[in-house]
Amino acid sequence: MTTSSAPGKIILFGEHAVVYGRPALAVPVTQVHADVEVSDSSRAGIWINAPDVDLHAELNTLPCDHPVAAVIYNLFFSLGISPHPSPLSRRERGWGEGLEIKISSTIPVASGLGSGAAVTVALLRALSSFLFHPLSDEQVNSLAYEIEKLHHGTPSGIDNTVITYARPVYFIKHPPSPSRSPTGVLREGAGGEVETVKVGAPFTIVIGDTGISAPTKQSVSDVRKLWLKNTNRFERVFDEVGQIALMARRVIESGQPALLGDLMDQNHALLQEITVSSPELDRLVRAARKAGALGAKMSGGGRGGNMIALVNKESAPAVAEALRSAGAIRTIITTVQAI
Ligand code: PMV
């Protein structure tokens, strides 16, 4: 049996602008995770068991573009292994009659916490290890990006990247313009250039969920339409967002996270300008600031989903409470550790 676990993620700065080549910063959220277990089965076939989404099916009965089936087919294909091996090659690989894949997740779906990418990453790792072909982080990231593209149209690649590396990342989508390309790129990540970010001092954020499910694909496509009509104005906004993400990175690395508060407020105003915030997100952002947060902003695709607030460790419970009173259906307090 092999197992793997992948964290959730949250975008701190740069959503939407990242689709247009500006940098974004995201961190893993370890309080929530997707877990996958792959084992031998006495039943023939590849059985998928995901009770959280009421999925109990044999691979063959799922459409090829089903989120889980697509990961399995892509992995088998890239390893050059048949998902339906003959009895002889099954025995050679040490399988029983078939495989059993159990998937569970505590990451709320469709709320900007990267639930889909986390399941993909955990599944790729658990299954590739089971097949005696453990993938490198780069391979996991690149396959996960292919799956993200199937589901999200034109994703920047930030979700699969931060979840694969499970570290704070500074990310620029391909193709970056040379002037925006960061120095010292560590890895050529799937979909973009990714640098892991040093964290000079720990900081705590509270995540508040509006409970409104809003597809990222929709807000990304709406922004694209507006950008086509108002290219100069939107480009200026994206430049400002990019500057904020760059400053945020410096502030995080230099161990002065309190300065992130103002940057969050500024980034939120720019996201409002490009129409991706919503009355519910704005209400939570105001409530967090009023309860003592150092700054707050929406996070991710917007129109619903989550917002984040920077807090002192001591004020975290009060801010979380204020968010719930203002309508958040869930709050998560997470600390980004110094590394
Ligand atoms: O809603 P989320 O957390 O999946 O984030 C979407 C972020 C966007 O920048 C809007 C899109 C993207 O692909 O980066």
Side-chain angles (χ1 to χ4, degrees), residues 154-225:
T154 54
S156 59
I158 194 167
D159 273 28
N160 47 281
T161 303
V162 66
I163 288 169
T164 298
Y165 295 104
R167 291 205 34 186
V169 299
Y170 183 80
F171 177 89
I172 303 181
K173 185 183 192 272
H174 278 140
S177 81
S179 61
R180 289 191 196 105
S181 176
T183 53
V185 172
L186 291 182
R187 299 184 187 91
E188 193 72 356
E193 286 173 358
V194 53
E195 296 180 311
T196 46
V197 172
K198 258 185 55 234
V199 179
F203 57 95
T204 300
I205 54 177
V206 182
I207 303 169
D209 188 346
T210 59
I212 297 167
S213 142
T216 294
K217 202 172 178 170
Q218 186 64 50
S219 66
V220 168
S221 128
D222 291 350
V223 168
R224 181 156 298 271
K225 284 183 202 137

Side-chain angles (χ1 to χ4, degrees), residues 26-279:
V27 294
V29 178
T30 50
Q31 281 75 8
V32 286
H33 41 89
D35 299 282
V36 174
E37 189 182 295
V38 181
S39 54
D40 261 342
S41 166
S42 50
R43 282 193 290 184
I46 297 180
W47 287 85
I48 298 140
N49 231 325
D52 302 330
V53 290
D54 209 19
L55 174 66
H56 307 276
E58 205 285 318
L59 181 64
N60 266 329
T61 65
L62 297 173
C64 294
D65 61 351
H66 181 282
V68 173
V71 178
I72 298 172
Y73 283 125
N74 273 24
L75 177 65
F76 274 98
F77 181 76
S78 73
L79 296 178
I81 299 175
S82 163
H84 309 294
S86 65
L88 177 65
S89 75
R90 263 207 322 268
R91 270 197 300 280
E92 277 170 6
R93 294 191 177 283
W95 298 14
E97 284 301 306
L99 299 184
E100 179 92 20
I101 299 176
K102 281 193 199 142
I103 302 173
S104 60
S105 173
T106 58
I107 310 176
V109 289
S111 68
L113 288 170
S115 63
V119 168
T120 300
V121 166
L123 179 53
L124 287 170
R125 286 204 173 117
L127 188 53
S128 64
S129 296
F130 186 89
L131 298 169
F132 300 110
H133 285 279
L135 301 176
S136 66
D137 285 349
E138 285 73 12
Q139 289 170 316
V140 169
N141 197 25
S142 136
L143 278 171
Y145 183 56
E146 293 309 309
I147 303 295
E148 288 286 286
K149 283 199 276 192
L150 279 181
H151 304 307
H152 300 302
T154 54
S156 59
I158 194 167
D159 273 28
N160 47 281
T161 303
V162 66
I163 288 169
T164 298
Y165 295 104
R167 291 205 34 186
V169 299
Y170 183 80
F171 177 89
I172 303 181
K173 185 183 192 272
H174 278 140
S177 81
S179 61
R180 289 191 196 105
S181 176
T183 53
V185 172
L186 291 182
R187 299 184 187 91
E188 193 72 356
E193 286 173 358
V194 53
E195 296 180 311
T196 46
V197 172
K198 258 185 55 234
V199 179
F203 57 95
T204 300
I205 54 177
V206 182
I207 303 169
D209 188 346
T210 59
I212 297 167
S213 142
T216 294
K217 202 172 178 170
Q218 186 64 50
S219 66
V220 168
S221 128
D222 291 350
V223 168
R224 181 156 298 271
K225 284 183 202 137
L226 291 168
W227 172 78
L228 284 170
K229 275 204 237 146
N230 313 278
T231 309
N232 287 342
R233 184 158 73 85
F234 271 55
E235 282 292 312
R236 271 200 307 276
V237 171
F238 294 149
D239 278 341
E240 279 186 62
V241 173
Q243 284 302 317
I244 289 173
L246 177 61
M247 278 190 277
R249 177 193 177 154
R250 293 197 176 129
V251 156
I252 290 172
E253 289 182 334
S254 66
Q256 300 168 286
L259 300 177
L260 294 176
D262 262 358
L263 295 174
M264 281 188 182
D265 291 346
Q266 289 170 35
N267 197 164
H268 185 70
L270 294 164
L271 289 160
Q272 284 175 315
E273 198 174 327
I274 60 166
T275 78
V276 292
S277 192
S278 69

